[in-house]
Amino acid sequence: MARRPTIADVAQRAGVSRSSVSFALNNRPGLAEETRARILAAAEELGWRPSRPAQALSLGRAGALGLVLTREPDLIGADPFYPAFTAGIESVLSERGDGLVLHVTSADREKSLYERLAADRRVDGVLLTDLRVDDPRPALTASLGLPTVVVGRAEWAGGHCAVELDDEPAYVAAVRALAEAGHRRIAHVEGPREYRHAARRRRAWERTLEELALPPGPLRPGGFTAEGGARATRELLALDEPPTAIVYGNDLAATAGLAVAHELGVPVPGRLSVVGYDDTPLAQYTHPPLASARADARGWGEAAARALGAVIADGAAPDVVLPPAAFLPRASIGPAPAAGNARPGAIRPATVPDVHLSE
Amino acid sequence: MARRPTIADVAQRAGVSRSSVSFALNNRPGLAEETRARILAAAEELGWRPSRPAQALSLGRAGALGLVLTREPDLIGADPFYPAFTAGIESVLSERGDGLVLHVTSADREKSLYERLAADRRVDGVLLTDLRVDDPRPALTASLGLPTVVVGRAEWAGGHCAVELDDEPAYVAAVRALAEAGHRRIAHVEGPREYRHAARRRRAWERTLEELALPPGPLRPGGFTAEGGARATRELLALDEPPTAIVYGNDLAATAGLAVAHELGVPVPGRLSVVGYDDTPLAQYTHPPLASARADARGWGEAAARALGAVIADGAAPDVVLPPAAFLPRASIGPAPAAGNARPGAIRPATVPDVHLSE
DNA sequence: TGCCGTCACTAAATCGGTTTAGACGCGCTT
DNA sequence: AAGCGCGTCTAAACCGATTTAGTGACGGCA
């Protein structure tokens, strides 16, 4: 295998200096059109592309973004978010010929990983996802001088640029839709408390019940997992007054919940309405199809990558607010069962003020 | 933000030359123990780590592996394989402080992406996954001189090192288990034909039926998707003689199939047995729990990363064969319904030769 | 004719590491 | 006293790009 050509080879072949090749490549002014063409032709013939490490060293930028996943592997596995999100990132990076450096780690090694990332100069900046309560990362990357974009709400960002795609409206809409369908006992199976988005979903549920003057519904931990969703559902359905609707933190837990309902002979939506979140590929094909909410993970990735690019280039970038996830009613929700003490129709859509909940 | 320290800063602080710092860092012989300690202390105090781009340029290796996903984004989304696989890769790379560069692309841009990867020198080698029939990539990376490990069978590898984790035995076991349970009409919902693993799964099903002297079962495309799985199931159950068991190409299609069976009032496993593949986190929590097969994706990632490291270092590495995926019988399979023309017990386990199918 | 400004291009420094060849001091032989 | 070998350390080249300062040719103008 022949040694890969360098800029010197191109220069020699075109009969110019290395500087001229560089000028031609980055089409900067000051080269005769004919010379430029000759250089580019030579580069083409040799199949030359500038070496990334050399460019990185020279330019002082790596040409790559970092993404660290701190979720536990099996939590990641079931989540359709990351693949779509990284596809969105990639679509932006590929325009610039940049790359995405992915790391999967656990919470205990997380800190040293970011430190390495910063000291290494292997990436020019990082995207922070899955923000936790009291998340140390925004302050950490700030102190490391590592350009950062937070994927989530601005108030989680600790001064960094934030790219937000709100999941609250979908939860508000789901609870309202259930209330309008006559449900009065609406439960929530929440995700891990340490995640800010899980907490935000729980609060959206909580406050919407309040706003609608409905009694606070039962709450169970579901951990965003199938197992947690199944257990929580079992507990909820075993209550003296079981809920007539359950809003889950994600589709995985909701789908497991559906299975438990089937197993216990509880018809859905006849006796129980079910709502998930994520709109996994499976959601339309469960039985019955699962009401859920779709966030544009790909668009989120795109926006985040673009924002981080701006932060790296300009030192800062304005926050971005993407359209919130849309609630997708499907056949897993229906009117509250008559047997319950819900009074269908008692709450009229028009009487419900359309306020936007904020944290 | 202070400029990040360089090797020169460390050298100055320790009162030595830059070369000595390099020697100390890479603990090479020829430095007095005391000097080495002083240098390392200075590096520690300054929080210095060698710049990756500089090292890459100097050493001629990027210190990173490349992984290109050519699947369509929504196909990727539902697949638990990649997150676990990348976690496995990472666990190997992090030992060496190396990185994983991830690209998501579409089939039409795939070729130029690999070319860029090779010319760029951003990665030292690539892992090839999801091999297709007549896949151009093994030959492409070979011609580009890009160290390559194929994640799959050696005969797909076109001369590259292969890391294999066979899914055939799980399919053979599943079909046999069904046959032993008296099933005679065993259908298959296959994945996209262009994927070699999908084709291999189909053949395993086909040949096992043959070996057991069972009639060839009906076959439907499922595309590894929920939608395809649902449609295929609908078609199969509408046959004049519907199958009493369906073996799906993956859990996603199988789960959608379960939902269709419910919807049509076909009891599982009463009238239909169902088998998936992947053992997604949901599989244990469907209703009934889904028989499936578990491949150690994380271990696969580890082995692949290690093998690629060896290929990069030594120019070649022996193929690796990992333990095959294990068939996991669960409640979604049961005895063939008596109404069918299956004859439970007609086929005795002992009479079934335990041959291993090969392609 | 001499001076100046432009245009097209190049030499050399630079980024931050690694590595090779060699310098220097010291104690031992002979 | 000269020579040798060894242990320790450094100067300088090198990786492959970018960039700055500057060179040389040429045309216009006084």
Side-chain angles (χ1 to χ4, degrees):
Chain A
M1 201 57 53
R3 189 181 51 82
R4 232 162 281 267
T6 76
I7 197 172
D9 300 319
V10 178
Q12 188 174 28
R13 182 170 243 265
V16 296
S17 70
R18 299 186 302 150
S19 347
S20 296
V21 177
S22 178
F23 276 46
L25 176 71
N26 303 297
N27 43 26
R28 294 160 58 122
L31 274 190
E33 217 26 77
E34 187 270 330
T35 314
R36 181 185 310 278
R38 185 156 39 89
I39 293 173
L40 293 180
E44 174 73 20
E45 286 159 25
L46 292 176
W48 173 75
R49 289 191 178 246
S51 142
R52 278 300 188 157
Q55 268 187 331
L57 180 59
S58 191
L59 295 175
R61 18 168 270 109
L65 305 187
L67 179 62
V68 178
L69 306 190
T70 310
R71 297 191 182 184
E72 299 308 313
D74 36 327
L75 240 185
I76 297 173
D79 193 337
F81 174 76
Y82 279 108
F85 186 71
T86 50
I89 296 171
E90 171 76 20
S91 70
V92 173
L93 293 190
S94 68
E95 296 168 7
R96 307 199 282 254
D98 286 348
L100 174 67
V101 176
L102 181 71
H103 288 278
V104 184
T105 189
S106 54
D108 51 325
R109 274 171 297 169
E110 184 186 57
K111 186 176 178 225
S112 68
L113 179 51
Y114 280 100
E115 286 167 352
R116 212 184 75 196
L117 240 40
D120 253 349
R121 316 223 118 245
R122 190 204 289 283
V123 300
D124 299 315
V126 292
L127 296 174
L128 258 35
T129 60
D130 287 331
L131 267 87
R132 306 188 292 273
V133 177
D134 296 322
D135 201 309
R137 293 175 297 164
L140 176 62
T141 62
S143 79
L144 292 170
L146 194 59
T148 302
V149 161
V150 165
V151 178
R153 302 195 26 101
E155 68 250 37
W156 307 344
H160 297 295
C161 168
V163 177
E164 169 182 346
L165 191 158
D166 199 356
D167 43 13
E168 183 179 278
Y171 276 85
V172 172
V175 173
R176 284 179 185 243
L178 290 167
E180 283 169 26
H183 293 271
R184 302 213 61 216
R185 287 194 309 282
I186 302 173
H188 181 50
V189 173
E190 64 180 340
R193 293 238 164 153
E194 70 258 35
Y195 288 125
R196 303 202 81 149
H197 57 293
R200 184 168 172 81
R201 291 173 193 182
R202 178 177 59 77
R203 274 202 292 275
W205 160 78
E206 211 164 54
R207 292 198 192 168
T208 309
L209 287 183
E210 252 176 69
E211 288 201 354
L212 298 175
L214 290 178
L219 176 66
R220 286 294 182 284
F224 281 154
T225 64
E227 193 224 332
R231 187 178 40 228
T233 306
R234 240 176 262 286
E235 289 176 19
L236 288 170
L237 292 180
L239 291 177
D240 287 341
E241 286 200 304
T244 63
I246 307 180
V247 179
Y248 292 81
N250 69 355
D251 276 3
L252 185 59
T255 309
L258 275 183
V260 167
H262 280 150
E263 184 193 324
L264 299 178
V266 175
V268 175
R271 254 191 336 121
L272 180 70
S273 287
V274 168
V275 179
Y277 186 95
D278 277 342
D279 193 36
T280 49
L282 192 57
Q284 293 184 59
Y285 298 95
T286 55
H287 178 65
L290 180 63
S292 189
R294 170 159 31 215
D296 178 13
R298 197 191 157 91
W300 209 353
E302 274 184 47
R306 242 181 265 285
L308 184 50
V311 170
I312 291 166
D314 310 334
D319 290 351
V320 179
V321 178
L322 298 172
F327 173 57
L328 301 171
R330 291 205 187 97
S332 67
I333 58 175
N341 43 11
R343 292 162 302 162
I347 294 171
R348 308 278 314 172
T351 69
V352 173
D354 194 6
V355 297
H356 180 74
L357 302 181
S358 60
E359 290 191 34
Chain B
M1 202 57 53
R3 191 179 51 80
R4 233 162 281 267
T6 75
I7 197 172
D9 300 319
V10 178
Q12 188 175 28
R13 181 170 245 263
V16 296
S17 71
R18 298 186 304 150
S19 348
S20 296
V21 177
S22 178
F23 276 48
L25 177 71
N26 302 296
N27 44 24
R28 294 161 59 121
L31 275 191
E33 219 24 80
E34 187 269 331
T35 314
R36 182 185 309 278
R38 185 157 38 91
I39 293 173
L40 293 180
E44 174 74 21
E45 285 159 25
L46 292 176
W48 174 76
R49 290 192 176 246
S51 142
R52 277 299 185 158
Q55 266 187 332
L57 180 59
S58 190
L59 296 174
R61 17 168 269 110
L65 306 187
L67 179 63
V68 178
L69 306 190
T70 309
R71 296 192 181 184
E72 299 307 313
D74 36 326
L75 240 186
I76 297 172
D79 193 336
F81 174 76
Y82 279 107
F85 185 70
T86 50
I89 295 172
E90 171 76 19
S91 70
V92 173
L93 294 190
S94 67
E95 295 168 8
R96 307 199 282 253
D98 285 350
L100 174 67
V101 177
L102 180 71
H103 288 278
V104 183
T105 191
S106 53
D108 51 324
R109 273 171 297 169
E110 183 186 58
K111 186 177 178 224
S112 68
L113 179 51
Y114 280 100
E115 286 167 351
R116 213 184 73 197
L117 239 41
D120 253 351
R121 319 224 111 234
R122 190 204 290 283
V123 299
D124 300 315
V126 292
L127 296 174
L128 259 34
T129 60
D130 287 330
L131 268 89
R132 304 188 292 272
V133 177
D134 295 324
D135 201 309
R137 294 175 297 166
L140 176 61
T141 61
S143 79
L144 292 170
L146 194 57
T148 302
V149 162
V150 165
V151 178
R153 296 186 42 92
E155 68 251 37
W156 307 343
H160 297 294
C161 167
V163 178
E164 168 181 347
L165 190 158
D166 200 356
D167 41 15
E168 183 179 279
Y171 276 86
V172 173
V175 173
R176 283 177 187 245
L178 290 167
E180 283 169 27
H183 294 270
R184 303 213 62 217
R185 288 195 308 282
I186 301 174
H188 181 49
V189 174
E190 64 180 339
R193 294 236 164 154
E194 70 257 34
Y195 288 124
R196 303 201 81 147
H197 58 291
R200 185 167 171 83
R201 291 173 192 183
R202 178 177 60 77
R203 275 202 292 276
W205 160 80
E206 211 164 55
R207 293 197 192 166
T208 310
L209 287 182
E210 253 176 69
E211 288 201 354
L212 297 175
L214 290 177
L219 176 66
R220 287 293 182 284
F224 282 154
T225 64
E227 194 223 331
R231 187 177 41 227
T233 307
R234 241 176 261 286
E235 290 175 20
L236 288 170
L237 292 181
L239 292 176
D240 287 342
E241 285 201 305
T244 63
I246 307 179
V247 179
Y248 292 81
N250 69 355
D251 277 3
L252 184 60
T255 310
L258 275 184
V260 166
H262 281 151
E263 184 192 322
L264 299 178
V266 174
V268 175
R271 237 163 23 97
L272 180 71
S273 286
V274 168
V275 179
Y277 185 95
D278 275 343
D279 194 35
T280 51
L282 192 57
Q284 292 185 58
Y285 298 95
T286 55
H287 178 66
L290 180 64
S292 190
R294 170 157 34 213
D296 177 13
R298 194 190 158 91
W300 209 353
E302 273 184 47
R306 242 181 266 285
L308 184 48
V311 171
I312 291 168
D314 311 333
D319 291 351
V320 179
V321 177
L322 299 172
F327 173 55
L328 302 171
R330 290 205 187 97
S332 67
I333 58 176
N341 42 10
R343 292 162 302 162
I347 295 170
R348 308 276 316 172
T351 68
V352 172
D354 192 8
V355 298
H356 179 75
L357 301 181
S358 60
E359 291 193 30

